[in-house]
Amino acid sequence: MRTGVWLVGARGSVATTSIVGALALRSGLTAPIGCVTELPQVRGPALPSFSDLVFGGHDPVLTPLAKRAEALAAAGVVPGRLVAALADDLAVVEDDIRPAPTGGTPAERVARVVADLADFRRRHDLDRVVVVNVSATEPVVTPHPAHADPAALAAALDGPDEVLPPSSLYAYAAFTADCPYVDFTPSTGARLPALAALAAQRGLPYAGHDGKTGETLVKSVLAPMFAMRNLQVRSWSGINLLGGGDGATLADPAANAAKVESKQRVLGETLGYHPQGDTRIDYVEELGDFKTAWDLVTFAGFLGIGMRLEFTWHGCDSALAAPLVLDLARITAAAHAAGASGPLADLAFFFKDPLDAATHSLGEQWTRLCGFVAGLHAAAGGTDAQAG
Amino acid sequence: MRTGVWLVGARGSVATTSIVGALALRSGLTAPIGCVTELPQVRGPALPSFSDLVFGGHDPVLTPLAKRAEALAAAGVVPGRLVAALADDLAVVEDDIRPAPTGGTPAERVARVVADLADFRRRHDLDRVVVVNVSATEPVVTPHPAHADPAALAAALDGPDEVLPPSSLYAYAAFTADCPYVDFTPSTGARLPALAALAAQRGLPYAGHDGKTGETLVKSVLAPMFAMRNLQVRSWSGINLLGGGDGATLADPAANAAKVESKQRVLGETLGYHPQGDTRIDYVEELGDFKTAWDLVTFAGFLGIGMRLEFTWHGCDSALAAPLVLDLARITAAAHAAGASGPLADLAFFFKDPLDAATHSLGEQWTRLCGFVAGLHAAAGGTDAQAG
Amino acid sequence: MRTGVWLVGARGSVATTSIVGALALRSGLTAPIGCVTELPQVRGPALPSFSDLVFGGHDPVLTPLAKRAEALAAAGVVPGRLVAALADDLAVVEDDIRPAPTGGTPAERVARVVADLADFRRRHDLDRVVVVNVSATEPVVTPHPAHADPAALAAALDGPDEVLPPSSLYAYAAFTADCPYVDFTPSTGARLPALAALAAQRGLPYAGHDGKTGETLVKSVLAPMFAMRNLQVRSWSGINLLGGGDGATLADPAANAAKVESKQRVLGETLGYHPQGDTRIDYVEELGDFKTAWDLVTFAGFLGIGMRLEFTWHGCDSALAAPLVLDLARITAAAHAAGASGPLADLAFFFKDPLDAATHSLGEQWTRLCGFVAGLHAAAGGTDAQAG
Amino acid sequence: MRTGVWLVGARGSVATTSIVGALALRSGLTAPIGCVTELPQVRGPALPSFSDLVFGGHDPVLTPLAKRAEALAAAGVVPGRLVAALADDLAVVEDDIRPAPTGGTPAERVARVVADLADFRRRHDLDRVVVVNVSATEPVVTPHPAHADPAALAAALDGPDEVLPPSSLYAYAAFTADCPYVDFTPSTGARLPALAALAAQRGLPYAGHDGKTGETLVKSVLAPMFAMRNLQVRSWSGINLLGGGDGATLADPAANAAKVESKQRVLGETLGYHPQGDTRIDYVEELGDFKTAWDLVTFAGFLGIGMRLEFTWHGCDSALAAPLVLDLARITAAAHAAGASGPLADLAFFFKDPLDAATHSLGEQWTRLCGFVAGLHAAAGGTDAQAG
Ligand SMILES: NC(=O)c1ccc[n+]([C@@H]2O[C@H](COP(=O)([O-])OP(=O)(O)OC[C@H]3O[C@@H](n4cnc5c(N)ncnc54)[C@H](O)[C@@H]3O)[C@@H](O)[C@H]2O)c1
Ligand SMILES: NC(=O)c1ccc[n+]([C@@H]2O[C@H](COP(=O)([O-])OP(=O)(O)OC[C@H]3O[C@@H](n4cnc5c(N)ncnc54)[C@H](O)[C@@H]3O)[C@@H](O)[C@H]2O)c1
Ligand SMILES: NC(=O)c1ccc[n+]([C@@H]2O[C@H](COP(=O)([O-])OP(=O)(O)OC[C@H]3O[C@@H](n4cnc5c(N)ncnc54)[C@H](O)[C@@H]3O)[C@@H](O)[C@H]2O)c1
Ligand SMILES: NC(=O)c1ccc[n+]([C@@H]2O[C@H](COP(=O)([O-])OP(=O)(O)OC[C@H]3O[C@@H](n4cnc5c(N)ncnc54)[C@H](O)[C@@H]3O)[C@@H](O)[C@H]2O)c1
Ligand code: NA
Ligand code: NA
């Protein structure tokens, strides 16, 4: 099953790490640590193998992929020896990265993306292309009447107004080109009625939002722990210190707000009430891609006695995100192959702010994920041995 | 369903907090924070209500229960206003605490415990009595041939040798008196072939071992998180600083060893491999009943990149343990009423080192607990409304 | 040496804790933990004893002092047994708390304060009165031409404009009434040219600003450690979570800004460069008077190798501040008695943002403090034995 | 002033990092971060410059220095680019590393070391050689009557008994060869009456013990902070997790005991009382040269209110130690040149367990160090400009 993975933001940290990692895995240069789709409970015949994946994408920036990979190696995000060993393979991927379209009407830019996708699929003879948004976080979108339905939207796109933010423009283009779409960012993406309707019309699956990699991942197991033990969380405060490309973007208060909101959701929905306290994101350039998050939880136990838990998470954001990007591409491709359409609620396991999520508990999301993928494998009619 | 709760170690911190709390709940003086059996997913008609519970127990120490409760109030473990308000009720429980039998042969001490249990049941007209061990942690038991079967054990108990440690002697007495038995401590308790056989013969359920209240509770959600994300835990080191009665006992290296072993089990069994690092327990008198545990986890993500998580848990041990003692008494009573016999593997949720546990993941243990209790409620044929 | 201590904000947490503590010390009900002036290197004949201190103050709020003290006891800030034992003494202090003057021109309010101070001194036959500002933090002051010299200021105060913020109005009144003035808050207080000139004219000492009690205290020993070892601090980020009266005030971004600025000064001035990172203050009501501060320091060592230090401070703000308020009152009274005038730069040890400070290193500030107080003792011509 | 630096344990992590660093500094490839002797308050004409230093040493291990340097680069302890750039210089130092003498009587081994030192001095035409012990930590020494005076010791060394541990044998040889001696380890070294007498006879200075680089460094500023504020430390507990060569040695309980004892001394001596709690050292291979130390301090403030401070130190041990090794060699050489003899108490700043230390406060140690070095510069009669 030859599968295209089209990365919006193809020269960013997450994208570059994903590409380097997939190439290294394909060549057997590394073990699949961090890859959920390689766990015994998830792997199987329905998923395209790492060698089935072909990468391309859009980015406005022109820095060569190899340069970005070297910078990531210097920052300790990927091992330098892999970047050196994969120089040729990176050059091949380089040829499939297109400049992000600019200028013209939104409709003209959509057409450009659709053409790039079609060209990519044809040249590589791909069974399908999954579009994954890993570009910079956008501010919260401004509402517009054309967001309500596909026809109104198609009309508006032809005008001069920026009716859609880039993430949604890419989702629109993906659906138009018959590609499933995954949003790894907190941006709007496919989360508009008009886009949901378009995906439904064309029978396409999509997934999102906002990869769950650090503080929120930990929250999604700790909050259920408090809930299962009937302990009363009184306050939950957190601070995220991060540098890197994404950190700089989030220094912009508008983008920050979108991210913080998706980070706090897990608490209210898991506990059934809103503890005091906020989550903050601060940009500290010197931390680079290594994020430090600190959380303080105060809670009451039996007879109201006060207690506390604090944790410090020191993670490499792109290294946490990249294997999930590969997991999402593989599973979404398999879902598309199996005829799934609409929001993939069973992929909530991967997201901070999951579409249509029934639960924010990581354990319950895991059970659903395993069930969903087992269904795909069953449909694929195969056995583990066929997967290779 | 009038239910006796017989606490071995009835004047200890955990026991006293459990009694004060149950009396306060019965009188409506407090909310059931920390009580798992009061969560919507667990509560129901099969469980005895707090007013159905009658307390008694054994302890070698003679300090009045009210004195112990006041000391706990001064230490911030229970609210002083509750201890004051419950003075009369505590005096009533005081009358049901018996000195731990000493002297004579083991068989004579067993007979004494059996007589105390029978007397307690009769005087209070109880449907059943659940024996819960919350006494001081014992050293690891010395093997003895008579541990192999009930007949050999009965014979050996008649001799002068200390063939069983106290926790097992109490388990033996409980089974002989037709009482279910719960071991909240890491001691041997019912974990000997002869005792398992005895429980089976008499159709009695039992549960254990070692209440899961602090560092191990957190581990039982964090370790599955690493596993579900295919992150490779390289080292997991921890230190527990605690004062209080239990802390002093654990300063004894032999008792400490038993506890540490049960604390590390969760890692190996959840991850499928043993990360480097140890867990330590240090006695720091000044910390009293408030334990501070600090854990450092180092792990590898995608492409082998190293990351870290550390947490500090600052909990009041007795306040964490007490509601679970009540939960265990209620559920074990219901299981006994429903005819359950043998080790209650579905209560693994409550224990560091659960009997016959299929999993150490708190989330999976929760699912099993909910299923098990739902079965009891169904069998009780009632509805929530009948519970009170 | 009968010494009045006039507290601006007399019913606040810091003031109430200071009063309860001084009364308890006077009655021998507690040991002087936290009192710098009771250390062997500092104590001596020049300082008024705890029994020499008489308390009064201004506050717009009317809650009785005993009520505030009980609330602090309930919150764990002062021991309940002390509040009970000191009920009569608190009632005596109650009689010396006056409503903060409102209405009229600034000059009229100044006159009111001056009259209250004179009355207090006369009624208690005091040798002197030290005015200490422990009222709510104010926003950064708006510049005004009258801040430049005493004559212009006197003229402006007679007009209808709010030419001075309350902290400066109190400083003006203190100087007018021949009282030394201490500013324990980050507010403007005496930090205006006109007020400095006024203090000089009248030969009065003053001290400030902003008591150093938590995160900044720790910074003032850790930053010199990095400097003395020639380690290069790359980033220093911090977050302060606090409830209590002061927390609520600081939730106001303007007051917050004043405080944050004084918190970061120690770094730049100690290290000689400005590391990346910010300090934040967040209000979390449930934390009450117990503040949790977390700081992350990243630094480079030999050959540029990156390392990290993080600390969590969990302190009771009012309990940390109160003994310093007493220390400052005692030392400033002794300085006044010895004829000192102008800013007391040698008291930098006590402040986050010290007046005319030569250094932000706690160790160096300590050396200066000890030298300064030794001079006062020498001038007092006495020996420790005379101190009483 | 051509100065030999003879490293006992010359192929260890600390030694290799010191050598790589000194070569890099000499070549201008790096800045002197972490070098105390390059601070404005310390640098000056009395100290040999980095280009004046010539390295040699003993080690039983044969791994080439360049190999050790590469391993340290792979582990992130030194930058790989420096190791590559310094290959030739490392080969030169390689020629001056001698196998640690084995076999024969102690006296024969001493003679061997003396000969190696004399040869090193002669071949490089050195003004003096400072011997610095950076070899593996030894167990606490067994007392022996010959430790009492030089004559008895000389006699005993001729016999077959191992009357001195290696660190003391090297000190004996250093003094015999007229070399100053620095002990960077917690081992016995020169700390025996016979060796002190020998140093005095020969007019030689020496310094030690146990470089202060991590947890104890932080303690030496935090403990004085509590003391200066009259806060009462109730407990201070710590755990050090470390891998690396030294970590493996410390896994041996006997060596561990020596180290732990020197770590706790700072508390008792700074505070004037012994708080509860212990310091632990655990070996976690996977942490390599990066040590994580966690400390919890509980303390009482005003009116006995309990508070807490915890810190986590994540440092690269060899990178912290190496610049201090260079500092010590430079200052001890200058002290020798100036005619100093006996224990150099003014170098306490560098040590966990300093010889004849008047104080454990880092700030006070700093003041003494600056004074001592200023004296050396004054004696050197020169100016900063002459130093190079
Ligand atoms: N790393 C994580 O753990 C994590 C977790 C959740 C979400 N995310 C999200 O992933 C995204 C990428 O993160 P990153 O660290 O790689 O950031 P980055 O800044 O390194 O990369 C973003 C890339 O997107 C490109 N880009 C910007 N606008 C574009 C457009 N209109 N079209 C195409 N490309 C565009 C940029 O040029 C850049 O190369 C962010 O939105 C981040 O919030 C990351
Ligand atoms: N508190 C927790 O979070 C927690 C969690 C898991 C397990 N536990 C276990 O619970 C037990 C009780 O803890 P605690 O803090 O109440 O300790 P504790 O020391 O306060 O109480 C133990 C009591 O047992 C009594 N006792 C000792 N020997 C006895 C005997 N032979 N028969 C009857 N009573 C005896 C003692 O006199 C004492 O009153 C310990 O074994 C502890 O390990 C506690
Ligand atoms: N607690 C600490 O560790 C610490 C450290 C440094 C500085 N401070 C400063 O000390 C001050 C007091 O803190 P707190 O916790 O007691 O606050 P608080 O809110 O409990 O008390 C402030 C009191 O000031 C009174 N007040 C307000 N405006 C006034 C006015 N115009 N005149 C007279 N009184 C007035 C209020 O009514 C209140 O009673 C704050 O400015 C705080 O920033 C405290
Ligand atoms: N790194 C720090 O922060 C720090 C701080 C204080 C003290 N120290 C001490 O410094 C010493 C060195 O630490 P390291 O990390 O380099 O250890 P390491 O194990 O890497 O190096 C020790 C070296 O000593 C050599 N050695 C052993 N016995 C010897 C002998 N008899 N003669 C000569 N050499 C011998 C070993 O072969 C090895 O090469 C240790 O004693 C450690 O406790 C280190
Ligand atoms: Na912490
Ligand atoms: Na921490």
Side-chain angles (χ1 to χ4, degrees), chain D residues 8-9 11-15 58-61 68 100 134-137 166 170 184-186 210-213 245-246 249 259 317-318 320-321 352:
Chain D
V8 180
R11 301 187 189 284
S13 300
V14 171
H58 283 116
D59 203 302
V61 157
R68 286 292 291 131
V134 288
S135 69
T137 299
Y170 281 108
F184 200 78
T185 81
D210 205 4
K212 179 159 67 185
T213 49
D246 193 32
T249 305
K259 194 95 178 185
D317 258 15
S318 297
L320 288 160
K352 281 195 199 71

Short mmCIF file of all heavy atoms in Angstrom, two decimals, chain D residues 8-9 11-15 58-61 68 100 134-137 166 170 184-186 210-213 245-246 249 259 317-318 320-321 352, ligand 4:
data_model
loop_
_atom_site.label_atom_id
_atom_site.label_comp_id
_atom_site.label_asym_id
_atom_site.label_seq_id
_atom_site.Cartn_x
_atom_site.Cartn_y
_atom_site.Cartn_z
N VAL D 8 46.80 12.10 39.62
CA VAL D 8 46.66 10.70 40.05
C VAL D 8 45.25 10.28 39.63
O VAL D 8 44.26 10.86 40.08
CB VAL D 8 46.86 10.57 41.57
CG1 VAL D 8 46.71 9.12 41.99
CG2 VAL D 8 48.20 11.15 41.98
N GLY D 9 45.17 9.31 38.74
CA GLY D 9 43.88 8.97 38.11
C GLY D 9 43.77 9.70 36.79
O GLY D 9 42.69 10.18 36.41
N ARG D 11 43.58 9.05 33.74
CA ARG D 11 42.71 8.65 32.63
C ARG D 11 41.23 8.64 33.05
O ARG D 11 40.37 8.13 32.33
CB ARG D 11 43.12 7.27 32.13
CG ARG D 11 44.56 7.21 31.64
CD ARG D 11 44.88 5.87 30.99
NE ARG D 11 46.30 5.71 30.70
CZ ARG D 11 46.92 6.31 29.68
NH1 ARG D 11 46.24 7.10 28.87
NH2 ARG D 11 48.21 6.10 29.48
N GLY D 12 40.93 9.13 34.22
CA GLY D 12 39.55 9.18 34.69
C GLY D 12 38.77 10.30 34.02
O GLY D 12 39.32 11.08 33.22
N SER D 13 37.48 10.39 34.34
CA SER D 13 36.63 11.41 33.71
C SER D 13 37.06 12.81 34.09
O SER D 13 37.17 13.69 33.24
CB SER D 13 35.17 11.23 34.14
OG SER D 13 34.70 9.97 33.76
N VAL D 14 37.30 13.04 35.37
CA VAL D 14 37.66 14.39 35.81
C VAL D 14 39.00 14.79 35.19
O VAL D 14 39.15 15.89 34.65
CB VAL D 14 37.72 14.46 37.35
CG1 VAL D 14 38.30 15.80 37.80
CG2 VAL D 14 36.33 14.26 37.95
N ALA D 15 39.97 13.87 35.25
CA ALA D 15 41.30 14.19 34.72
C ALA D 15 41.22 14.48 33.22
O ALA D 15 41.75 15.49 32.74
CB ALA D 15 42.25 13.03 34.99
N HIS D 58 49.47 9.41 36.79
CA HIS D 58 49.46 7.96 36.94
C HIS D 58 48.06 7.42 36.76
O HIS D 58 47.09 8.05 37.17
CB HIS D 58 49.91 7.57 38.36
CG HIS D 58 51.38 7.65 38.59
ND1 HIS D 58 51.95 8.53 39.48
CD2 HIS D 58 52.42 6.95 38.04
CE1 HIS D 58 53.28 8.37 39.49
NE2 HIS D 58 53.59 7.43 38.63
N ASP D 59 47.97 6.26 36.20
CA ASP D 59 46.70 5.53 36.16
C ASP D 59 46.98 4.06 35.87
O ASP D 59 47.82 3.75 35.03
CB ASP D 59 45.76 6.13 35.08
CG ASP D 59 44.30 5.83 35.38
OD1 ASP D 59 43.94 4.64 35.47
OD2 ASP D 59 43.52 6.78 35.54
N PRO D 60 46.32 3.14 36.56
CA PRO D 60 46.53 1.71 36.29
C PRO D 60 45.92 1.29 34.96
O PRO D 60 46.32 0.28 34.36
CB PRO D 60 45.83 1.01 37.44
CG PRO D 60 44.86 2.00 38.00
CD PRO D 60 45.39 3.35 37.68
N VAL D 61 44.97 2.06 34.49
CA VAL D 61 44.24 1.71 33.27
C VAL D 61 45.06 2.16 32.06
O VAL D 61 45.84 3.11 32.16
CB VAL D 61 42.86 2.41 33.32
CG1 VAL D 61 42.26 2.58 31.95
CG2 VAL D 61 41.92 1.63 34.24
N ARG D 68 39.41 8.01 25.81
CA ARG D 68 38.60 8.46 26.95
C ARG D 68 37.90 9.78 26.60
O ARG D 68 36.72 9.99 26.91
CB ARG D 68 39.48 8.68 28.19
CG ARG D 68 39.96 7.43 28.87
CD ARG D 68 38.82 6.66 29.54
NE ARG D 68 38.31 7.39 30.68
CZ ARG D 68 37.01 7.64 30.91
NH1 ARG D 68 36.10 7.20 30.06
NH2 ARG D 68 36.63 8.30 31.96
N ALA D 100 50.26 3.25 37.08
CA ALA D 100 50.33 3.34 38.55
C ALA D 100 51.18 2.18 39.03
O ALA D 100 50.95 1.03 38.64
CB ALA D 100 48.93 3.26 39.14
N VAL D 134 42.88 12.77 41.64
CA VAL D 134 41.52 12.63 41.08
C VAL D 134 41.25 11.17 40.75
O VAL D 134 40.57 10.85 39.78
CB VAL D 134 41.31 13.53 39.83
CG1 VAL D 134 41.21 15.00 40.23
CG2 VAL D 134 42.43 13.33 38.81
N SER D 135 41.81 10.27 41.56
CA SER D 135 41.57 8.84 41.31
C SER D 135 40.31 8.39 42.06
O SER D 135 39.67 9.17 42.76
CB SER D 135 42.79 8.03 41.72
OG SER D 135 42.95 8.05 43.11
N ALA D 136 39.97 7.14 41.87
CA ALA D 136 38.74 6.60 42.45
C ALA D 136 38.71 6.75 43.97
O ALA D 136 39.74 6.63 44.63
CB ALA D 136 38.61 5.13 42.05
N THR D 137 37.53 7.01 44.51
CA THR D 137 37.35 7.16 45.96
C THR D 137 37.69 5.85 46.67
O THR D 137 37.26 4.77 46.25
CB THR D 137 35.88 7.53 46.25
OG1 THR D 137 35.60 8.78 45.62
CG2 THR D 137 35.64 7.66 47.75
N PRO D 166 46.31 4.06 48.82
CA PRO D 166 47.01 4.68 47.70
C PRO D 166 47.05 6.21 47.77
O PRO D 166 48.09 6.83 47.51
CB PRO D 166 46.21 4.21 46.47
CG PRO D 166 45.58 2.94 46.90
CD PRO D 166 45.33 3.04 48.37
N TYR D 170 50.53 8.37 47.58
CA TYR D 170 50.84 9.42 46.60
C TYR D 170 51.19 10.72 47.31
O TYR D 170 52.09 11.46 46.89
CB TYR D 170 49.66 9.65 45.65
CG TYR D 170 49.55 8.61 44.56
CD1 TYR D 170 48.54 7.64 44.55
CD2 TYR D 170 50.46 8.59 43.48
CE1 TYR D 170 48.43 6.70 43.54
CE2 TYR D 170 50.35 7.64 42.46
CZ TYR D 170 49.34 6.70 42.51
OH TYR D 170 49.24 5.78 41.50
N PHE D 184 41.46 16.07 45.61
CA PHE D 184 40.13 16.43 45.11
C PHE D 184 39.10 15.37 45.49
O PHE D 184 37.92 15.53 45.24
CB PHE D 184 40.20 16.58 43.59
CG PHE D 184 39.07 17.38 43.03
CD1 PHE D 184 39.08 18.77 43.12
CD2 PHE D 184 37.98 16.77 42.42
CE1 PHE D 184 38.02 19.52 42.62
CE2 PHE D 184 36.92 17.52 41.92
CZ PHE D 184 36.94 18.89 42.02
N THR D 185 39.55 14.26 46.10
CA THR D 185 38.65 13.15 46.43
C THR D 185 38.39 13.12 47.93
O THR D 185 39.07 13.80 48.70
CB THR D 185 39.28 11.81 46.02
OG1 THR D 185 40.20 11.42 47.04
CG2 THR D 185 40.01 11.90 44.69
N PRO D 186 37.42 12.31 48.37
CA PRO D 186 37.18 12.19 49.81
C PRO D 186 38.16 11.22 50.49
O PRO D 186 38.02 10.96 51.69
CB PRO D 186 35.75 11.65 49.89
CG PRO D 186 35.47 11.02 48.58
CD PRO D 186 36.38 11.64 47.57
N ASP D 210 37.91 16.68 48.75
CA ASP D 210 36.65 16.35 48.09
C ASP D 210 36.04 17.58 47.42
O ASP D 210 35.33 18.37 48.06
CB ASP D 210 35.67 15.75 49.12
CG ASP D 210 34.64 14.86 48.45
OD1 ASP D 210 34.73 14.67 47.22
OD2 ASP D 210 33.75 14.35 49.14
N GLY D 211 36.27 17.69 46.14
CA GLY D 211 35.76 18.82 45.37
C GLY D 211 34.27 19.03 45.58
O GLY D 211 33.49 18.09 45.56
N LYS D 212 33.89 20.28 45.74
CA LYS D 212 32.48 20.62 46.03
C LYS D 212 31.81 21.05 44.75
O LYS D 212 32.02 22.18 44.29
CB LYS D 212 32.48 21.74 47.07
CG LYS D 212 31.12 22.24 47.49
CD LYS D 212 31.16 22.95 48.84
CE LYS D 212 31.94 24.24 48.80
NZ LYS D 212 32.08 24.85 50.13
N THR D 213 31.02 20.17 44.16
CA THR D 213 30.53 20.44 42.81
C THR D 213 29.02 20.41 42.64
O THR D 213 28.52 20.98 41.67
CB THR D 213 31.10 19.42 41.81
OG1 THR D 213 30.89 18.12 42.36
CG2 THR D 213 32.57 19.64 41.57
N GLY D 245 32.10 6.59 36.09
CA GLY D 245 33.13 5.82 36.81
C GLY D 245 32.99 6.00 38.30
O GLY D 245 32.99 5.03 39.07
N ASP D 246 32.86 7.22 38.73
CA ASP D 246 32.78 7.50 40.15
C ASP D 246 31.53 6.86 40.77
O ASP D 246 31.57 6.32 41.86
CB ASP D 246 32.75 9.02 40.36
CG ASP D 246 33.00 9.39 41.81
OD1 ASP D 246 33.74 8.66 42.50
OD2 ASP D 246 32.44 10.41 42.25
N THR D 249 32.15 3.24 41.55
CA THR D 249 32.97 3.09 42.75
C THR D 249 32.13 3.30 44.00
O THR D 249 32.22 2.57 44.98
CB THR D 249 34.10 4.14 42.75
OG1 THR D 249 34.83 4.02 41.54
CG2 THR D 249 35.03 3.92 43.94
N LYS D 259 32.00 9.34 51.40
CA LYS D 259 31.47 10.46 50.64
C LYS D 259 30.26 11.09 51.34
O LYS D 259 30.13 12.31 51.43
CB LYS D 259 31.05 9.95 49.26
CG LYS D 259 30.80 11.03 48.24
CD LYS D 259 32.03 11.28 47.41
CE LYS D 259 31.80 12.34 46.35
NZ LYS D 259 32.96 12.49 45.48
N ASP D 317 28.99 16.08 36.33
CA ASP D 317 29.99 16.08 37.40
C ASP D 317 31.39 16.43 36.92
O ASP D 317 32.08 17.25 37.53
CB ASP D 317 30.01 14.72 38.08
CG ASP D 317 29.26 14.80 39.40
OD1 ASP D 317 28.54 15.79 39.59
OD2 ASP D 317 29.41 13.89 40.22
N SER D 318 31.82 15.82 35.85
CA SER D 318 33.20 16.07 35.43
C SER D 318 33.37 17.49 34.91
O SER D 318 34.41 18.11 35.09
CB SER D 318 33.61 15.06 34.35
OG SER D 318 33.57 13.77 34.91
N LEU D 320 31.84 20.01 36.04
CA LEU D 320 31.87 20.89 37.21
C LEU D 320 33.21 20.79 37.93
O LEU D 320 33.73 21.78 38.47
CB LEU D 320 30.74 20.52 38.17
CG LEU D 320 29.35 20.92 37.65
CD1 LEU D 320 28.26 20.14 38.36
CD2 LEU D 320 29.13 22.41 37.83
N ALA D 321 33.77 19.58 37.93
CA ALA D 321 35.01 19.34 38.68
C ALA D 321 36.23 19.89 37.94
O ALA D 321 37.14 20.45 38.56
CB ALA D 321 35.17 17.85 38.93
N LYS D 352 34.23 20.00 49.73
CA LYS D 352 33.11 19.56 50.57
C LYS D 352 33.53 19.44 52.03
O LYS D 352 32.76 19.69 52.93
CB LYS D 352 32.66 18.15 50.15
CG LYS D 352 31.80 18.07 48.93
CD LYS D 352 31.14 16.68 48.88
CE LYS D 352 30.65 16.37 47.48
NZ LYS D 352 31.75 16.11 46.51
N1 LIG E 4 33.29 14.85 39.41
C1 LIG E 4 32.98 15.47 40.51
O1 LIG E 4 32.11 16.32 40.55
C2 LIG E 4 33.76 15.15 41.75
C3 LIG E 4 33.55 15.91 42.89
C4 LIG E 4 34.25 15.59 44.05
C5 LIG E 4 35.14 14.55 44.03
N2 LIG E 4 35.32 13.82 42.92
C6 LIG E 4 36.23 12.69 43.00
O2 LIG E 4 37.09 12.68 41.89
C7 LIG E 4 37.54 11.34 41.70
C8 LIG E 4 37.55 11.02 40.23
O3 LIG E 4 36.23 10.96 39.73
P1 LIG E 4 35.98 10.45 38.23
O4 LIG E 4 34.56 10.69 37.94
O5 LIG E 4 37.02 11.01 37.34
O6 LIG E 4 36.21 8.88 38.41
P2 LIG E 4 36.73 7.84 37.33
O7 LIG E 4 36.37 6.53 37.88
O8 LIG E 4 36.27 8.22 35.97
O9 LIG E 4 38.32 8.03 37.36
C9 LIG E 4 39.14 7.55 38.38
C10 LIG E 4 40.45 7.11 37.74
O10 LIG E 4 41.33 6.76 38.81
C11 LIG E 4 42.08 5.66 38.37
N3 LIG E 4 42.69 4.99 39.51
C12 LIG E 4 42.11 4.07 40.32
N4 LIG E 4 43.02 3.69 41.25
C13 LIG E 4 44.16 4.35 41.00
C14 LIG E 4 45.43 4.37 41.59
N5 LIG E 4 45.73 3.60 42.63
N6 LIG E 4 46.36 5.18 41.07
C15 LIG E 4 46.12 5.98 40.03
N7 LIG E 4 44.91 6.01 39.44
C16 LIG E 4 43.94 5.20 39.92
C17 LIG E 4 41.09 4.82 37.61
O11 LIG E 4 41.72 3.89 36.77
C18 LIG E 4 40.33 5.90 36.85
O12 LIG E 4 40.89 6.15 35.59
C19 LIG E 4 36.65 10.47 42.54
O13 LIG E 4 37.30 10.10 43.73
C20 LIG E 4 35.51 11.38 42.88
O14 LIG E 4 34.89 11.04 44.11
C21 LIG E 4 34.66 14.09 41.78
#
